[in-house]
C-alpha cells in the first residue's frame, strides 16, 4: 500500500536526512498521471480569518492560503520543483532575465494577453506600480517587505511589456527576494485611486476569480477561464475553510469534509489518518524552513554569564530527543543554524563539535554541571517564556524543561498569548524565552541574520551587543569563494552556538501534509508560504 | 409599584456604565499592542512608522479619556464602531455570527426545558425513591462533566459509530448554512453542540425544578388541597407546578443570558463560527472596539433579563407588589 | 451559576439551639442521604490521593520517558502513559493535589469574601448596600471567560493567577446569596433584641447573623469547589490555565485529549473521569447537605 511505502520511506529518509542533502520525502504517485479537469477542492486554513487580504501588508500564512489563488506574481519558485532553493521561473514574465550592467539591471518582458478578472488588460505598468508599492510604499501605506529590497534603486515600466529593476549594487539576494509569494500584482488604476482598497477587496489576474467570503468562515474561488497558463487551472473552483482548531481539521479530512490543509499537521494526526483511511490518504513530508530557538536574556543575571548559557546548551540531548519528539511534535532534524537541506549546512561530524551536539550526553551534562557550579548558578531557578501554541512550541518546551532538570536546573513555564508575548519579547521582560526563526524561500545567508545582535537585525531579542559577531558575518557575506564561505560560515556558527552560546538550537521543524489521495499536482516544499495558487492541483475523482 | 419599576430601571444605568469602565480598563491593562501583532504576524519585527500609522488609523493615539467617552457615547447611540482587527464594522462582524449562536442557544433551551421540567417534577414527587436518586445522579453528572470533554467525546463517538455502521466516518458539516436554506444540513451541524450545551442546562434546571417543587409541596395550601380530597394530578398541575415554576422560569431566563457567553468553550470544540468564538478572538487579538461591544452586549442582555425577571416577580408576587 | 433557592430563614436561632447531640445528627445524615455519603467518600478518596501523592505515585509525574510513549494501560503503567511517556496514574494523583488546591483556594477565598460583603451589605444597608450591590452586579454580569482571559493575559499563567481569575466571579455570586439570607434574618426579633441590649455591630454580626447564614454558605462552598475545578479545566482547555509540565487534570485534557483521542483514548478518558468524579462528589455532598440542613426539605 502506498502509505506504508510512504511511511517507510519517511522513516528511512529521516535516518538519512540528518545533515545530509535530502530534505524532502514525497510519497506521492509519479507525475506521469494526466491531469483531469473539474471538481472543487475544499481545504482547511489553520487560522482564524486573516487581518486583511493585502499581501503587501500582511505576513501571515492565513492571507496567502486564502488569497494567493486570485493573484499573479512576477517570478516564483518553480511549482513543479518547489523544494529547490535556486529554481525560479516566470509567472507573468516570458523568461528569466540575465542581469546586465554589472548585475545591477534586471529587465523583465511581461506576457501579452494577460487580463485582470474584470476583463481589463494587465501591462508592465501594473507590474511596476505594484512593485513600487512594495519597495517604496506611498504615504500611509505599509509594506511588510520594504526592508528586503534596500538594494533596489528604481523600478519602472519602460513600455507596455517591459519592466526594469535598477539596483544600487549587485547581489545574489535579489532574485530570491523577488520570488516572494506575497508580491502580488495589483491593478495600477486602483492602486493610484486607493492603495488601501486591496485590504478588503480582491482584484487579481490569477488562476481563480473571487467568488465569495463569509466572515470568519470560508473563502471561495471559481475558475478563471482566461488564465494565461493555458489548460490551467484544472479545478473548477476551491473552498478554503478557516479552522484554527487542529482536531477539527483532522476530523474534517477523516470524514472527507475537506481534502487537506497546507500548513502541516503533527505526527499524531498523520498516524490517525493513515490508520483510519489507509490508501485514501497520501502523506508528504519535508523539512521546514522554520525552527524554535532558545534565547536567554543577556541583560538578566546570570544569563549574562557565557558559562551559564553554555551549560543550558550542553544539558540538552538533541540526538536522542529529536527522534522521540518527531513522533509527537512537528520537529525532526537536528541541525545547526543553516537549513538542513542546504549545501551550506554543517554535517554530523562538524555539528558534534558544538555545544549541545556532543555525541556523549553524559560528558556533556557533566560539563554543564561543572560550568554552573563555577558560575555559582547551581540549582538555578528560572522561567521559560513561551507562546500559547501547542505545536511545537509547548512540546519542545516540555522536553527542554525535563532536559534541564537533569543538570539540576528548576524551570517553570510562563505562557503568554500572542500579543503579550511579543510585547514581553520587545521589552525584554523575560529570563529565557522560546524564540523562532521562520523564513520563506530558503536563503541561508539572509536567514541566519536572526542570530545577529538587535542593532543589526531587528528581530533579535537576546539583548546583547557583539561586534566580533557582526564582523564575522559581514566578512562571510562578502566572500565570493564557495569553499572559503562555507568555512567562514562554520566559524560563525561555532561562535554563535558554542563560544558565546548567544542562542540555542532545537530540532528543526518538520512539515507533514496528509492529503486525500485524490488530490494531485501539489508538491510540498520547505515553506508553507509558497506554491499556494492551486493552479497545478487536480482531483483524481 | 410604579416607584419600584422606575427605581429598578434606573439601577440598570450604573451597572452598564460600571461594566463599560471595567472592560475598558481591563483591555488596556493587557500588555501588547494590536498594531504590532497585526504587522508582525511572521516574526515580531515591525516598522515603527507603520505602527504609528496604524495607531492613528485606529484612534489609539488619543488620550484614554477621549477614547472612553467615544466608546460610551457610541454605545448609547448604538454605534459600535469598527473592529480594530479586520476594519469591518463591529455590527457586521457580530451579525455574521449571531445566527448560529442564537440557534444553538434556543435549541439548547428547548431541549433543556423539555427534559428538566418533567424529570424534576417526578423527582420531587418521589423524593428519596430510586427514581429520585437516578434523576439526581443524571443531573449532577451533567453539571460535573466538563462540557468540552463531553463535546470531544461526542464528536469522536459519532465518527467511530458512523465508521463502524456505514463504513465511512461521518462528521457534521463544518460550514454554516442558515436553516431556511438547507434545514437538514443546518440541523446536522447544530444538533451535537445543542445537545452538549442542553444537557448541562437541563441538569441545572432539573435541580432547580426539583427543589422548587419540594418547597411548594410542603406548603400549607397543598396540604389543604390534599385534605380536601382533590385529585393528585390536579394538585400538581394547577397548584404546585405554577408556583414552583416561578423560580424555575427565573433560572431559565438567567441561564439563557449566561449561555451566550458560555458558548465560548462549546464553539471552540465544535469549531462553530459563533459569537462565543468571536469573543475569544477579540480578546486575544486585543481588538478593543470589538471586545468592548461584545461585553456591553452581553452585560446588557444579562441586565435586561434580570430586570424583566424582577419585574415579573414583582407583578406575580403580591407581597412585593403591595409591600 | 446563580443559586435561586428561596432564602433560608430558620425559625429559631440555630446558634443558640443545640438540642440534639452532634454525633447522632451525623449518623442520621449518613443514613438518610445515601447519595451524599457516596459524594463524601468520593471527595475523601480524591483528597487522600492528593495529600499522599508522593507515596502512592509510582513514577515522577514530570519525567519524560521516551521509551514508553503513549502506551495503553498495563501492569507497568496502570492507566497508561501520555505522549511524553509520563505515567498517567502518577499525573492524576498529583493532579488531584493541584485540583484541590485550586478548588479549595478559590472556594474559600471567594466564599469568605462573598460572606463578608454579603453580610455587611445586608446588615448596614443604605448607601453601602446600594454601591456594593452595583459593583457586584457589574462583576456578575461580566462574562466569566472574558474576565479570566483578561486576568491571565495581564498577570500571566500559573497557579496563583488561575486562582485569582476563577475567584473573582465567585465573590458576587456568594455575596448575593448570603445577602438575601442575611436580609431575611435582619428583621427577625432576636436581632432587634440584641441591638436593644446595646450589643456592638461586630458581636451581633459574628454571633447571630453569620451562624444563621452558614447553611446556605456551606452549601455554596461545596458547589464552588466543583465549579472552580471545572473552571480550571476550561481555562486549561483554552491554554490559559496551569502550564506544562505541572500535573493538572485540565491541562492533561488539553494536551492529550483531542490530538490522541482516537489513537490513545486513555490520555483523555482518565483525567476527564477524575474531574467528573470529583465535581460529582462535591455536588452530591453539597446537595445532601442542603437537604439535611434545610428543615423545610426534610422528610415529614
Amino acid at each position: 500500500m502506498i502509505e506504508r511505502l510512504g511511511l517507510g520511506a519517511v522513516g528511512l529518509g529521516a535516518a538519512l536526512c540528518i545533515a545530509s542533502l535530502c530534505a524532502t520525502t514525497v510519497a506521492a504517485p509519479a507525475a506521469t498521471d494526466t491531469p483531469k479537469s473539474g471538481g472543487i477542492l475544499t481545504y482547511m486554513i489553520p487560522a482564524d480569518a486573516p487581518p486583511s487580504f493585502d499581501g503587501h501588508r500582511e505576513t501571515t500564512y492565513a492571507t496567502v492560503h486564502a488569497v494567493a489563488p486570485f493573484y499573479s506574481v512576477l517570478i516564483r519558485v518553480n511549482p513543479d520543483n518547489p523544494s529547490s532553493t535556486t529554481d525560479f521561473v516566470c509567472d507573468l514574465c516570458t523568461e528569466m532575465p540575465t542581469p546586465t550592467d554589472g548585475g545591477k539591471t534586471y529587465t523583465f518582458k511581461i506576457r501579452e494577453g494577460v487580463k485582470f478578472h474584470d476583463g481589463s488588460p494587465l501591462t508592465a505598468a501594473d507590474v511596476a506600480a505594484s512593485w513600487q508599492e512594495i519597495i517604496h510604499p506611498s504615504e500611509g501605506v505599509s509594506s511588510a517587505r520594504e526592508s528586503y529590497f534596500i538594494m533596489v534603486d528604481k523600478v519602472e515600466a519602460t513600455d507596455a511589456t517591459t519592466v526594469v529593476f535598477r539596483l544600487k549594487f549587485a547581489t545574489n539576494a535579489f532574485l530570491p527576494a523577488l520570488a516572494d509569494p506575497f508580491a502580488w500584482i495589483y491593478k495600477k488604476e486602483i492602486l493610484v485611486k486607493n492603495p488601501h482598497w486591496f485590504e478588503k477587496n480582491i482584484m487579481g489576474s490569477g488562476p481563480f476569480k473571487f467568488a465569495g467570503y463569509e466572515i470568519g468562515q470560508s473563502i471561495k474561488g471559481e475558475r478563471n477561464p482566461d488564465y494565461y497558463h493555458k489548460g490551467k487551472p484544472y479545478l473548477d473552483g476551491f473552498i478554503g475553510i478557516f479552522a484554527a482548531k487542529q482536531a477539527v481539521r483532522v476530523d474534517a479530512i477523516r470524514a472527507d469534509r475537506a481534502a487537506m490543509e497546507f500548513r502541516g499537521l503533527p505526527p499524531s494526526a498523520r498516524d490517525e489518518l493513515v490508520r483510519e483511511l489507509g490508501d485514501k490518504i497520501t502523506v508528504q513530508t519535508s523539512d521546514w524552513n522554520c525552527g524554535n530557538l532558545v534565547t536567554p536574556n543577556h541583560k538578566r543575571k546570570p544569563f549574562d554569564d557565557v558559562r551559564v548559557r553554555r551549560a543550558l546548551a550542553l544539558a540538552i540531548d538533541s540526538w536522542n530527543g529529536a527522534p522521540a519528539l518527531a513522533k509527537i511534535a512537528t520537529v525532526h532534524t537536528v541541525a545547526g543554524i543553516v537549513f538542513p537541506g542546504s549545501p551550506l549546512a554543517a554535517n554530523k561530524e562538524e555539528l558534534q563539535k558544538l555545544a549541545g551536539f556532543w555525541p556523549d550526553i553524559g560528558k556533556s551534562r557533566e560539563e554543564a554541571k561543572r560550568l554552573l557550579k563555577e558560575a555559582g548558578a547551581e540549582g538555578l531557578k528560572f522561567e521559560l517564556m513561551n507562546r500559547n501554541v501547542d505545536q511545537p512550541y509547548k512540546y519542545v518546551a516540555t522536553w527542554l524543561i525535563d532536559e534541564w532538570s537533569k543538570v539540576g536546573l528548576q524551570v517553570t513555564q510562563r505562557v503568554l498569548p500572542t500579543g503579550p508575548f511579543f510585547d514581553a519579547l520587545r521589552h525584554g521582560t523575560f529570563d529565557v524565552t522560546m524564540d523562532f526563526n521562520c523564513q520563506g524561500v530558503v536563503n541561508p545567508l539572509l536567514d541566519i541574520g536572526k542570530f545577529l545582535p538587535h542593532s543589526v537585525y531587528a528581530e533579535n531579542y537576546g539583548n546583547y551587543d557583539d561586534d566580533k559577531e557582526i564582523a564575522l558575518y559581514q566578512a562571510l557575506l562578502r566572500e565570493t569563494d564557495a569553499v572559503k564561505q562555507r568555512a567562514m560560515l562554520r566559524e560563525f556558527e561555532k561562535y554563535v552556538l558554542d563560544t558565546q552560546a548567544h542562542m540555542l538550537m532545537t530540532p528543526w521543524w518538520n512539515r507533514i501534509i496528509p492529503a486525500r489521495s485524490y488530490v494531485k499536482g501539489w508538491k510540498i516544499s520547505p515553506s508553507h508560504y509558497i506554491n499556494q495558487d492551486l493552479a497545478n492541483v487536480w482531483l483524481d475523482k | 409599584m410604579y416607584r419600584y419599576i422606575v427605581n429598578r430601571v434606573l439601577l440598570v444605568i450604573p451597572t452598564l456604565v460600571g461594566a463599560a469602565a471595567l472592560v475598558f480598563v481591563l483591555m488596556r491593562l493587557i500588555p501588547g499592542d494590536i498594531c504590532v501583532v497585526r504587522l508582525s504576524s511572521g516574526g515580531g519585527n515591525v516598522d515603527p512608522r507603520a505602527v504609528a500609522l496604524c495607531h492613528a488609523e485606529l484612534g489609539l493615539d488619543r488620550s484614554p479619556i477621549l477614547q472612553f467617552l467615544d466608546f460610551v457615547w457610541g454605545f448609547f447611540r448604538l454605534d459600535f464602531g469598527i473592529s480594530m482587527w479586520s476594519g469591518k464594522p463591529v455590527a457586521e462582524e457580530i451579525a455574521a455570527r449571531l445566527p448560529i449562536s442564537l440557534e444553538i442557544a434556543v435549541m439548547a433551551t428547548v431541549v433543556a426545558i423539555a427534559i428538566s421540567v418533567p424529570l424534576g417534577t417526578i423527582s420531587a414527587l418521589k423524593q428519596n425513591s430510586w427514581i429520585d436518586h437516578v434523576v439526581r445522579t443524571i443531573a449532577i453528572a451533567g453539571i460535573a462533566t466538563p462540557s468540552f470533554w463531553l463535546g470531544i467525546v461526542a464528536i469522536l463517538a459519532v465518527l467511530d459509530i458512523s465508521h463502524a455502521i456505514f463504513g465511512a466516518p461521518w462528521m457534521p458539516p463544518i460550514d454554516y448554512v442558515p436553516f431556511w436554506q438547507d434545514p437538514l444540513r443546518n440541523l446536522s451541524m447544530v444538533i451535537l453542540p445543542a445537545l452538549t450545551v442542553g444537557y448541562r442546562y437541563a441538569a441545572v434546571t432539573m435541580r432547580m425544578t426539583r427543589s422548587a417543587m419540594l418547597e411548594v409541596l410542603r406548603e400549607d395550601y397543598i396540604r389543604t388541597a390534599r385534605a380536601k380530597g382533590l385529585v393528585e394530578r390536579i394538585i400538581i398541575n394547577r397548584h404546585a407546578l405554577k408556583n414552583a415554576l416561578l423560580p424555575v422560569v427565573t433560572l431559565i431566563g438567567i441561564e439563557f443570558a449566561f449561555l451566550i457567553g458560555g458558548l465560548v468553550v462549546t464553539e471552540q470544540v465544535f469549531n462553530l463560527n459563533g459569537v462565543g468564538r468571536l469573543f475569544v478572538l477579540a480578546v486575544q487579538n486585543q481588538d478593543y472596539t470589538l471586545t468592548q461591544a461584545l461585553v456591553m452586549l452581553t452585560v446588557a442582555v444579562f441586565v435586561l433579563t434580570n430586570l424583566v425577571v424582577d419585574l415579573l416577580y414583582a407583578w406575580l408576587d403580591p407581597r412585593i407588589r403591595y409591600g | 451559576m446563580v443559586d435561586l433557592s428561596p432564602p433560608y430563614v430558620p425559625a429559631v436561632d440555630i446558634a443558640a439551639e443545640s438540642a440534639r447531640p452532634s454525633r447522632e445528627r451525623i449518623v442520621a445524615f449518613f443514613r438518610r442521604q445515601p447519595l451524599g455519603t457516596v459524594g463524601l467518600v468520593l471527595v475523601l478518596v480524591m483528597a487522600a490521593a492528593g495529600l499522599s501523592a508522593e507515596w502512592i505515585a509510582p513514577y515522577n509525574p514530570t519525567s519524560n520517558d521516551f521509551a514508553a510513549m503513549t502506551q495503553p494501560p498495563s501492569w507497568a503503567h496502570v492507566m497508561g502513559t501520555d505522549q511524553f511517556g509520563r505515567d498517567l496514574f502518577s499525573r492524576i494523583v498529583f493532579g488531584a493535589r493541584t485540583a484541590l488546591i485550586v478548588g479549595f483556594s478559590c472556594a474559600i477565598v471567594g466564599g469568605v469574601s462573598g460572606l463578608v460583603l454579603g453580610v455587611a451589605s445586608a446588615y448596614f444597608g443604605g448607601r453601602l448596600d446600594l454601591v456594593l450591590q452595583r459593583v457586584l452586579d457589574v462583576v456578575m454580569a461580566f462574562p466569566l471567560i472574558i474576565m479570566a482571559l483578561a486576568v491571565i493575559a495581564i498577570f500571566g499563567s500559573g497557579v496563583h493567577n488561575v486562582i485569582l481569575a476563577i475567584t473573582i466571579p465567585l465573590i458576587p455570586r456568594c455575596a448575593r446569596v448570603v445577602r438575601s439570607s442575611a436580609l431575611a434574618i435582619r428583621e427577625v426579633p432576636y436581632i432587634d433584641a440584641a441591638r436593644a441590649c446595646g450589643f456592638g455591630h461586630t458581636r451581633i454580626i459574628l454571633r447571630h447573623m453569620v451562624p444563621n447564614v452558614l447553611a446556605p454558605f456551606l452549601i455554596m462552598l461545596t458547589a464552588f469547589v466543583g465549579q472552580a475545578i471545572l473552571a480550571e479545566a476550561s481555562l486549561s482547555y483554552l491554554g490559559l490555565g496551569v502550564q506544562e509540565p505541572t500535573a493538572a487534570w485540565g491541562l492533561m485534557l488539553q494536551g492529550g485529549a483531542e490530538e490522541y483521542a482516537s489513537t490513545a483514548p486513555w490520555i483523555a478518558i482518565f483525567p476527564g473521569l477524575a474531574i467528573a468524579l470529583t465535581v460529582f462528589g462535591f455536588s452530591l455532598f453539597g446537595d445532601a447537605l442542603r437537604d439535611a440542613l434545610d428543615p423545610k426539605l426534610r422528610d415529614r
Side-chain angles (χ1 to χ4, degrees), chain A residues 245-247 254 266-269 271-272 275-276 320-321 324-325 327-329 388 390-391 394-396 398-403 406 411-417 420, chain C residues 62-67 69-70 83-84 86 149 152-158 236-241 243-246 251 254-256 258-264:
Chain A
K245 251 182 99 204
Q246 181 191 297
R254 195 174 151 193
S268 59
D271 295 337
E272 181 189 330
R275 199 182 58 128
E276 293 288 326
N320 289 316
L325 277 176
K327 294 189 203 150
I328 53 176
N388 187 18
D390 259 347
Q391 287 283 4
K394 288 207 212 165
Y395 274 78
V396 174
T398 306
W399 169 65
L400 285 174
I401 293 178
D402 190 48
E403 297 288 292
K406 297 189 174 132
V411 187
T412 50
Q413 223 189 138
R414 177 172 147 227
V415 173
L416 296 174
Chain C
T62 58
S63 308
N64 301 338
D65 181 4
F66 286 136
M69 292 155 74
T70 53
Q83 64 269 40
F84 285 98
R86 299 178 294 201
L149 278 174
I152 302 280
I154 296 172
F155 296 105
S157 56
S236 293
Y237 178 70
L238 294 174
L240 301 164
Q243 292 301 334
E244 291 279 3
T246 320
L251 186 63
Q254 185 247 349
E258 288 169 310
E259 246 188 275
Y260 293 91
S262 52
T263 43

Side-chain angles (χ1 to χ4, degrees), chain C residues 12-25 207 211-212 298:
Chain C
V12 223
D13 186 2
I14 290 184
E17 185 203 70
S18 49
R20 288 161 71 196
S22 322
R23 199 158 156 261
E24 216 181 281
R25 285 161 85 192
R207 280 197 66 190
N212 290 306
R298 277 198 210 117

Side-chain angles (χ1 to χ4, degrees), chain B residues 8 11 15 299 302-303 306, chain C residues 131-142 172 176:
Chain B
R8 196 58 196 79
L11 285 179
T15 313
V299 170
F302 179 82
V303 157
N306 265 327
Chain C
V131 169
L132 221 53
Q133 283 315 299
R134 296 285 70 70
V135 170
L136 292 175
D137 258 0
V138 168
V139 178
M140 220 165 78
F142 207 86
R176 193 177 253 220

Side-chain angles (χ1 to χ4, degrees), chain A residues 206-414:
Chain A
F208 293 91
K209 287 167 131 161
F210 178 62
Y213 173 63
E214 285 168 50
I215 299 182
Q217 178 104 311
S218 59
I219 187 161
K220 295 192 170 96
E222 60 188 12
R223 191 168 185 277
N224 175 12
D226 297 321
Y227 191 49
Y228 47 91
H229 289 301
K230 290 290 166 228
K232 296 184 189 168
Y234 304 113
L235 295 169
D236 284 331
F238 71 86
I239 305 177
I241 301 183
F242 295 100
K245 251 182 99 204
Q246 181 191 297
V248 171
R249 303 199 296 274
V250 177
D251 288 341
I253 297 177
R254 195 174 151 193
D256 206 9
R257 290 255 175 231
M260 63 192 296
E261 60 130 84
F262 288 108
R263 188 165 184 271
L265 286 173
S268 59
R270 171 202 61 205
D271 295 337
E272 181 189 330
L273 287 170
V274 166
R275 199 182 58 128
E276 293 288 326
L277 299 172
D279 62 354
K280 295 206 190 86
I281 270 279
T282 309
V283 182
Q284 297 187 58
T285 48
S286 164
D287 273 317
W288 208 332
N289 194 12
C290 275
N292 279 118
L293 318 160
V294 178
T295 304
N297 186 351
H298 292 51
K299 285 224 170 80
R300 284 235 178 137
K301 290 197 184 304
F303 301 106
D304 53 345
D305 187 336
V306 62
R307 291 171 297 191
V308 174
R309 298 197 301 269
R310 284 193 81 220
L312 285 181
L314 287 163
I316 302 172
D317 184 7
S318 284
W319 298 112
N320 289 316
L325 277 176
K327 294 189 203 150
I328 53 176
T330 54
V331 297
H332 187 274
T333 310
V334 178
I337 61 179
V338 178
F339 178 70
S342 160
L344 285 171
N347 57 35
K348 190 163 179 183
E349 289 76 48
E350 288 164 330
L351 264 187
Q352 281 179 331
K353 299 192 195 123
L354 304 173
F357 299 97
W358 292 7
D360 184 345
I361 188 63
K363 252 175 73 183
S364 189
R365 288 192 177 138
E366 281 307 310
E367 174 68 4
K369 287 191 211 155
R370 188 192 69 81
L371 284 170
L372 284 172
K373 190 161 177 187
E374 200 182 286
E378 259 182 306
L380 177 66
K381 270 197 191 145
F382 66 88
E383 255 187 355
L384 174 70
M385 187 169 83
N386 199 355
R387 249 179 111 169
N388 187 18
V389 175
D390 259 347
Q391 287 283 4
Y393 291 80
K394 288 207 212 165
Y395 274 78
V396 174
T398 306
W399 169 65
L400 285 174
I401 293 178
D402 190 48
E403 297 288 292
W404 284 328
S405 72
K406 297 189 174 132
V407 296
L409 294 168
Q410 295 163 53
V411 187
T412 50
Q413 223 189 138
R414 177 172 147 227

Side-chain angles (χ1 to χ4, degrees), chain C residues 2-163:
Chain C
V2 178
D3 179 60
L4 286 166
S5 43
Y8 164 52
V9 184
V12 223
D13 186 2
I14 290 184
E17 185 203 70
S18 49
R20 288 161 71 196
S22 322
R23 199 158 156 261
E24 216 181 281
R25 285 161 85 192
I26 293 178
V27 171
F29 172 81
F30 287 133
R31 226 174 357 105
R32 280 180 173 162
Q33 307 281 354
L35 284 184
T37 317
V38 169
L40 190 59
V41 167
L42 277 174
V43 168
L44 289 176
V45 165
M46 291 299 176
L51 287 172
S52 58
E54 272 104 359
W55 294 282
I56 49 176
Y59 297 86
N60 184 329
T62 58
S63 308
N64 301 338
D65 181 4
F66 286 136
M69 292 155 74
T70 53
Q71 288 193 345
S74 64
W75 288 118
H77 296 280
V78 188
M79 288 187 182
T81 60
D82 68 6
Q83 64 269 40
F84 285 98
R86 299 178 294 201
D87 177 45
L88 230 51
F89 178 66
S90 306
R91 282 180 73 78
I92 297 247
V93 157
F94 273 91
R97 178 178 293 185
T98 316
L100 292 173
I101 291 178
V102 171
F104 277 110
S105 307
C106 294
I108 292 176
V109 174
V112 169
S113 314
L115 179 69
V116 166
L117 289 175
V119 167
S121 198
Y123 185 76
F124 292 109
R127 214 171 294 167
L128 176 69
D129 184 30
L130 216 61
V131 169
L132 221 53
Q133 283 315 299
R134 296 285 70 70
V135 170
L136 292 175
D137 258 0
V138 168
V139 178
M140 220 165 78
F142 207 86
L144 244 157
I145 290 279
I146 307 308
M147 170 138 7
L149 278 174
V151 168
I152 302 280
I154 296 172
F155 296 105
S157 56
V159 181
H160 303 287
N161 299 325
V162 169
I163 294 178

